[in-house]
Amino acid sequence: MKKTLVFIHGWSVTNLNTYGELPERLQLEAAANGVEIDIQHIFLSRYISFHDEVGLDDIAKGLDSAIKEQLRGIQSFVCITHSTGGPVVRHWWSYFYDNSPTKISHLIMLAPANFGSALAQLGKAKLSRIKSFFDGVEPGQRVLNWLELGSKSSWELNKKWILSDGHQIGEQGIFPFVLTGQTIDRKLYDHLNSYTGELGSDGVVRTAAANLNSRYIQLKQNAIKNKNNEVKISSTLDIIEYKESPEVPLRIITGKSHSGSEKGIMNSVRKSRDPKSKEIITSIFKCINVDSIEKYNELKEQFKLETNTVQKNELIETAPEFLFFHTHFIHDRFSQVIFRITDSEGYPITDFDLLLTAGQNNNPNDFPPGFVADRQQNSINKEIITYYFNYDLIVGAPKNEFRQKTEGITQIGLKIIPRPQEGFVRFVTCEIKANEDLLQKTIQPNSTTLIDIVLQRVVSKGVFQINNITQFPKDFDFSKTKWEEKGIIE
């Protein structure tokens, strides 16, 4: 049976050149890989994402309409996406089908920005100048907001995915896959923005942000009653919920960056069977040929081994004459952790300090130097902050020709100092002491962890009082009432 292929491009693409010659190459090599496709059955989709008023909800509705109208006679198809195309299809799948079966049989995501991109916070004008992402196009603001690390919409989509039971994967559902690179095309490096050369990324999307294999943790501060029946706020955080996502095959492709005609994971593919693109073509066909959950699980394990080999082979990069001198880069593995701080009533807490601790002494100074590669607070949802950790430095990295052996840690903890800490409504500092379990649950290579931190909203009994009117003069101004500790409302 012939396979129908539908390609969905990334953000702010204004023409179909973004696909390069990938469709023709797949059609050319299909028979040799046991797949029957026809060039007439390849659809190159296009959507408008460079207008400010257009958001992912709108694009998802457009996708649904296009599938119903333009693919009416097709029972199922293989969907290949690039960059923002991955979140677009995932949003459509979640929004319209609640992750139930659709016409899509296989969702093959190339360099998907599933958890966003660190570049998105730079703003429209700056992003339009970055060759590796937008190539002179000023991106649309609503799509840009979704792509910013820790956006509310991406948090909700990814949390829903993590908390699902995996029933949506299989013959009666969709087989999802993630293929991405970790190579920086130095010719596209933007000297005014180091994110385009960020290690652990393809120059636009971090491997940890592309990977769907992720986890969710909820930490909660409790209110307790003492022996005098008084409400007290705990100074500790407890793990209330922990859930790992359904597992999806992840394959890091050798020598591929996000975009560009020389190294781009999609745009650099040539139909002339060039050896540089053999790995991505072979990997795509391996995905297409999965037709059972058994084969899907086998490919997961195979991709793990191949990804491990690629990351070992690409550990040391030599960039001749980069920035005018001979440069070496160590491509460690990285981990992304997104924290959201809210109170017990669900309100966001935007004024806080988050302090990471390590080791038996629960000491923030016990981390290895350079373990935090980046930290970014969401510009709209300021209760959400994203940390980007060097995983290999945290767990300990062996000696190589450019670095001595580093000693890692085995325990991690955190402390939250929220504000205000006095007044009619306030918060109390709390922590979870460094321990091995939290480290294992939180920090994993090439992946993202969502951590919900819920603090008790402390409301003073002084916020509302009934008093004898004779106690105050008639002209008493209650707006000048000062806060006094009168106990805590349960």
Side-chain angles (χ1 to χ4, degrees):
M1 184 172 124
K2 288 185 178 180
K3 297 282 188 182
T4 300
L5 271 61
V6 175
F7 289 80
I8 297 182
H9 64 67
W11 182 30
S12 294
V13 172
T14 55
N15 60 66
L16 300 181
N17 292 332
T18 181
Y19 298 110
E21 296 176 354
L22 177 61
E24 291 89 342
R25 178 73 174 272
L26 291 174
Q27 206 268 339
L28 187 66
E29 297 195 21
N33 285 276
V35 179
E36 187 180 3
I37 60 175
D38 185 79
I39 194 69
Q40 297 178 4
H41 290 273
I42 295 178
F43 295 81
L44 301 179
S45 68
R46 60 188 184 275
Y47 62 83
I48 304 300
S49 60
F50 45 87
H51 289 268
D52 282 344
E53 70 273 15
V54 177
L56 243 67
D57 285 350
D58 305 312
I59 297 170
K61 290 176 182 177
L63 173 62
D64 191 62
S65 176
I67 290 174
K68 290 176 179 176
E69 293 179 9
Q70 300 173 34
L71 304 179
R72 188 174 300 167
I74 296 172
Q75 296 301 313
S76 68
F77 62 89
V78 174
C79 184
I80 300 177
T81 70
H82 179 242
S83 194
T84 318
V88 164
V89 176
R90 290 183 56 225
H91 186 75
W92 163 81
W93 186 21
S94 174
Y95 185 85
F96 284 97
Y97 295 91
D98 196 24
N99 294 331
S100 297
T102 72
K103 281 190 173 186
I104 296 179
S105 61
H106 299 67
L107 175 57
I108 304 172
M109 293 172 276
L110 309 182
N114 281 319
F115 287 86
S117 168
L119 286 169
Q121 197 177 75
L122 297 178
K124 293 168 52 178
K126 288 183 179 179
L127 285 176
S128 67
R129 297 194 293 268
I130 296 177
K131 296 178 181 179
S132 61
F133 206 171
F134 306 106
D135 200 18
V137 178
E138 188 171 281
Q141 188 62 54
R142 288 189 64 196
V143 176
L144 180 67
N145 292 344
W146 194 102
L147 283 172
E148 186 177 343
L149 294 176
S151 72
K152 180 180 178 182
S153 297
S154 86
W155 176 285
E156 291 173 349
L157 179 65
N158 289 308
K159 180 183 174 182
K160 182 178 179 180
W161 165 258
I162 295 169
L163 296 183
S164 67
D165 60 7
H167 73 278
Q168 66 271 45
I169 299 175
E171 299 95 319
Q172 303 304 315
I174 294 179
F175 290 113
F177 309 85
V178 173
L179 311 179
T180 192
Q182 61 167 21
T183 295
I184 305 299
D185 189 339
R186 302 294 170 187
K187 292 183 179 179
L188 298 179
Y189 180 77
D190 188 310
H191 294 270
L192 299 179
N193 178 15
S194 60
Y195 279 132
T196 59
E198 187 176 55
L199 297 176
S201 81
D202 61 6
V204 172
V205 176
R206 296 164 176 170
T207 301
N211 189 6
L212 275 180
N213 299 319
S214 46
R215 58 212 58 79
Y216 172 82
I217 301 172
Q218 186 186 82
L219 301 176
K220 188 175 181 181
Q221 178 187 39
N222 291 310
I224 54 179
K225 285 186 177 181
N226 62 16
K227 59 184 179 182
N228 296 323
N229 209 34
E230 296 173 324
V231 178
K232 298 295 182 182
I233 306 302
S234 174
S235 62
T236 62
L237 285 166
D238 299 314
I239 298 178
I240 301 300
E241 184 177 5
Y242 173 74
K243 175 71 169 59
E244 296 181 1
S245 70
E247 191 174 3
V248 171
L250 167 71
R251 178 63 153 86
I252 295 179
I253 306 297
T254 302
K256 292 300 180 184
S257 62
H258 193 81
S259 57
S261 59
E262 290 189 21
K263 297 182 179 180
I265 195 167
M266 179 180 275
N267 191 248
S268 69
V269 176
R270 301 287 177 265
K271 63 182 178 182
S272 58
R273 289 194 173 95
D274 63 299
K276 291 182 179 179
S277 297
K278 181 179 179 180
E279 196 172 309
I280 181 64
I281 296 298
T282 300
S283 296
I284 289 174
F285 278 119
K286 285 180 180 179
C287 298
I288 293 175
N289 280 318
V290 168
D291 57 9
S292 69
I293 200 67
E294 291 77 20
K295 289 184 179 179
Y296 188 75
N297 290 333
E298 288 174 5
L299 190 58
K300 278 191 293 191
E301 298 307 313
Q302 182 181 345
F303 275 4
K304 284 180 186 178
L305 294 174
E306 292 172 350
T307 290
N308 187 48
T309 299
V310 171
Q311 292 196 295
K312 285 183 177 179
N313 292 340
E314 292 189 337
L315 179 63
I316 304 297
E317 175 196 359
T318 300
E321 298 181 5
F322 177 67
L323 299 180
F324 307 107
F325 53 88
H326 207 63
T327 308
H328 300 281
F329 298 93
I330 302 176
H331 288 266
D332 288 324
R333 296 169 295 172
F334 288 78
S335 176
Q336 183 171 266
V337 181
I338 306 177
F339 297 93
R340 181 173 70 174
I341 295 86
T342 58
D343 68 22
S344 49
E345 298 298 322
Y347 296 112
I349 298 175
T350 59
D351 188 2
F352 62 89
D353 292 326
L354 192 157
L355 188 65
L356 299 166
T357 59
Q360 294 182 349
N361 296 324
N362 199 46
N363 192 332
N365 296 318
D366 285 351
F367 283 101
F371 80 101
V372 176
D374 185 61
R375 181 178 65 180
Q376 190 179 107
Q377 187 173 30
N378 189 272
S379 64
I380 298 173
N381 304 108
K382 295 185 181 298
E383 75 277 15
I384 303 179
I385 186 167
T386 300
Y387 278 75
Y388 190 47
F389 298 114
N390 186 316
Y391 172 83
D392 287 323
L393 287 183
I394 286 180
V395 299
K399 178 181 177 179
N400 61 48
E401 55 188 306
F402 299 107
R403 181 176 64 195
Q404 295 297 316
K405 178 182 177 181
T406 63
E407 296 296 332
I409 60 169
T410 58
Q411 298 173 321
I412 195 171
L414 62 90
K415 184 176 184 178
I416 297 289
I417 306 171
R419 287 176 287 272
Q421 296 209 345
E422 61 178 32
F424 292 109
V425 177
R426 60 192 188 279
F427 303 99
V428 175
T429 297
C430 58
E431 68 177 338
I432 179 169
K433 292 188 181 296
N435 64 84
E436 294 181 9
D437 183 56
L438 187 63
L439 177 62
Q440 292 298 319
K441 284 182 167 66
T442 303
I443 310 294
Q444 291 295 323
N446 306 320
S447 66
T448 294
T449 301
L450 302 181
I451 299 185
D452 248 335
I453 301 176
V454 182
L455 305 183
Q456 282 295 321
R457 183 180 181 87
V458 183
V459 182
S460 171
K461 288 183 177 180
V463 78
F464 190 97
Q465 299 231 342
I466 299 175
N467 296 302
N468 190 325
I469 195 171
T470 60
Q471 296 177 358
F472 302 94
K474 289 183 179 181
D475 60 350
F476 182 78
D477 187 355
F478 287 96
S479 67
K480 294 182 169 56
T481 302
K482 294 183 179 180
W483 171 73
E484 295 179 9
E485 179 56 71
K486 297 180 181 293
I488 298 171
I489 298 175
E490 295 185 33

